[in-house]
């Protein structure tokens, strides 16, 4: 039976810790599968751990909104945006749910962004609005 593993490198000096998720029978096979994600990383530099709560999921793609939603609900931060550098945290789940889910939240960030490339600025703006009366990006702020 295939199991889900979180696999990461020890830390790229330029990008920091990079994570991917794979299905495999053993930790060694998971690391082998993950090597395609880590072009300049040796097998021995990879680390892996089981995430049993994900075993029953159909899609474990890092960039798939439903899987990212599961990650948030299990205590992981999820990065969004064009370059996946801007992250939301498990504490943001109620706010994101008010938008209709992660995809709708991400689209609201795009609409709020001046250059249509959301950044941590838009995420912080969404958090501030939510913290001051459960308002969302794009709400009519005038009474």
């Amino acid at each position: 039976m295939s199991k889900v593993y979180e696999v990461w490198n020890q830390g790229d000096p330029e990008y920091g810790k990079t994570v991917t998720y794979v299905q495999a029978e053993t930790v060694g096979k998971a690391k082998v599968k993950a090597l395609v994600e880590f072009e300049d990383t040796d097998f021995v530099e990879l680390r892996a751990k089981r995430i049993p709560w994900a075993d029953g999921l159909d899609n474990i793609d890092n960039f798939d909104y439903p899987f990212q939603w599961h990650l948030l609900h299990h205590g992981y931060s999820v990065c969004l945006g064009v370059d996946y550098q801007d992250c939301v945290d498990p504490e943001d789940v109620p706010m994101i749910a008010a938008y209709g889910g992660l995809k709708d939240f991400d689209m609201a960030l795009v609409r709020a962004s001046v250059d249509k490339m959301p950044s941590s600025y838009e995420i912080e703006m969404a958090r501030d609005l939510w913290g001051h009366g459960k308002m969302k990006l794009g709400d009519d702020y005038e009474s």
Side-chain angles (χ1 to χ4, degrees), residues 15-139:
Y15 298 107
K17 182 179 174 181
T18 306
V19 176
T20 192
Y21 301 89
V22 297
Q23 291 177 317
E25 286 92 29
T26 67
V27 67
K29 289 180 181 180
K31 289 169 62 175
V32 168
K33 278 184 153 182
L35 277 172
V36 297
E37 298 288 327
F38 303 101
E39 294 172 4
D40 297 326
T41 303
D42 292 325
F43 179 86
V44 295
E45 295 173 336
L46 293 178
R47 300 294 178 258
K49 74 174 182 177
R50 285 268 296 117
I51 52 170
W53 59 263
D55 285 348
L57 300 176
D58 291 331
N59 188 350
I60 57 162
D61 181 350
N62 293 21
F63 306 108
D64 181 64
Y65 288 117
F67 183 64
Q68 291 176 329
W69 191 240
H70 282 290
L71 289 170
L72 279 171
H73 280 280
H74 283 88
Y76 291 75
S77 293
V78 171
C79 297
L80 306 170
V82 176
D83 57 4
Y84 295 97
Q85 296 294 312
D86 308 305
C87 301
V88 290
D89 302 314
E91 297 80 30
D92 296 321
V93 165
M95 172 185 68
I96 295 167
Y99 282 84
L102 199 54
K103 182 177 182 180
D104 292 332
F105 177 71
D106 200 13
M107 294 302 109
L109 295 176
V110 170
R111 286 189 299 276
S113 173
V114 173
D115 59 5
K116 302 303 175 210
M117 296 175 68
S119 66
S120 55
Y121 172 77
E122 284 79 20
I123 292 173
E124 286 305 316
M125 188 168 54
R127 285 177 178 143
D128 287 345
L129 286 169
W130 186 253
H132 292 97
K134 307 282 188 252
M135 292 191 303
K136 301 183 298 186
L137 293 168
D139 280 354

